[in-house]
């Protein structure tokens, strides 16, 4: 596996509104690029916890994964037509800063998820079961490779 954890930090996120599209199956990032949906969301001010990032998120509801693609906005943000939202209460996250080659599939494996769970446990944090996990595709960390061709993905797991 080529993904490595550079750092694990506990980050507190106040209440946010995740605006985007909900998926019961695998999310379709290609749809987002083809329809230029991020450009429609970017016309509104994002929450500082979001920064310039695109968000892939998942939680378990009623025993099933609920996946989202979108962005974090202030909790009272207006939702553009054609988008959905979910309000997320204030939450603490263990954020693993993952480093791997650009376009690596290692960012998205269960092995990497388990590596992050072990790292947060080693840091004295406890996962909040069935609560939010997110991928924060932060510019330029994820969009501009370093001299070795690596990028950084922020992977957050809600913690108690």
């Amino acid at each position: 596996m080529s993904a490595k954890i550079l750092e694990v930090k506990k980050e507190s996120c106040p209440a946010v509104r995740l605006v985007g599209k909900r998926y019961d199956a695998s999310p379709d990032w290609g749809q987002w690029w083809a329809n230029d949906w991020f450009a429609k969301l970017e016309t509104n001010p994002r929450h500082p916890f979001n920064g310039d990032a695109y968000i892939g998120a998942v939680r378990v509801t009623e025993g099933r994964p609920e996946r989202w693609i979108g962005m974090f906005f202030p909790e009272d943000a207006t939702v553009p037509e054609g988008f959905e939202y979910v309000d997320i209460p204030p939450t603490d996250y263990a954020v693993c800063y993952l480093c791997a080659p650009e376009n690596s599939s290692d960012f998205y494996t269960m092995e990497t998820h388990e590596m992050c769970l072990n790292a947060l446990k080693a840091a004295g944090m406890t996962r909040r079961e069935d609560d939010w996990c997110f991928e924060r595709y932060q510019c330029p960390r994820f969009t501009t490779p370093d001299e070795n061709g690596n990028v950084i993905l922020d992977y957050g797991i809600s913690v108690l």
Side-chain angles (χ1 to χ4, degrees):
M1 173 171 51
S2 63
K4 294 179 178 43
I5 298 175
L6 299 178
E7 182 178 15
V8 178
K9 291 192 325 189
K10 187 173 187 178
E11 297 183 17
S12 294
C13 181
V16 293
R17 177 166 284 176
L18 174 57
V19 178
K21 305 256 182 197
R22 184 177 63 83
Y23 297 86
D24 293 323
S26 294
D28 189 347
W29 286 88
Q31 239 185 356
W32 280 77
W33 305 127
N35 294 305
D36 207 18
W37 287 337
F38 284 117
K40 293 175 185 171
L41 292 182
E42 289 172 333
T43 61
N44 296 316
R46 274 120 17 236
H47 193 281
F49 189 78
N50 187 91
D52 290 331
Y54 301 145
I55 302 293
V58 64
R59 69 174 173 178
V60 175
T61 57
E62 298 177 8
R64 303 191 68 208
E66 175 184 288
R67 296 172 178 86
W68 286 79
I69 298 176
M71 300 176 86
F72 292 137
F73 291 88
E75 62 185 324
D76 60 350
T78 301
V79 178
E81 187 175 334
F83 292 91
E84 302 169 87
Y85 74 94
V86 60
D87 290 327
I88 302 174
T91 305
D92 288 335
Y93 295 94
V95 180
C96 295
Y97 291 84
L98 301 172
C99 180
E102 184 178 28
N103 299 318
S104 174
S105 62
D106 286 340
F107 285 123
Y108 314 108
T109 67
M110 282 308 294
E111 184 179 2
T112 299
H113 176 74
E114 291 297 325
M115 179 177 67
C116 290
L117 289 175
N118 290 333
L120 73 88
K121 185 184 268 187
M125 293 181 261
T126 303
R127 177 185 182 188
R128 190 182 296 252
E129 290 296 324
D130 293 341
D131 207 355
W132 290 100
C133 293
F134 66 82
E135 298 156 352
R136 185 171 52 192
Y137 298 91
Q138 181 72 45
C139 299
R141 287 193 302 265
F142 189 77
T143 57
T144 304
D146 66 13
E147 64 279 356
N148 298 315
N150 293 318
V151 295
I152 297 170
L153 175 68
D154 307 358
Y155 184 65
I157 301 170
S158 59
V159 293
L160 300 173

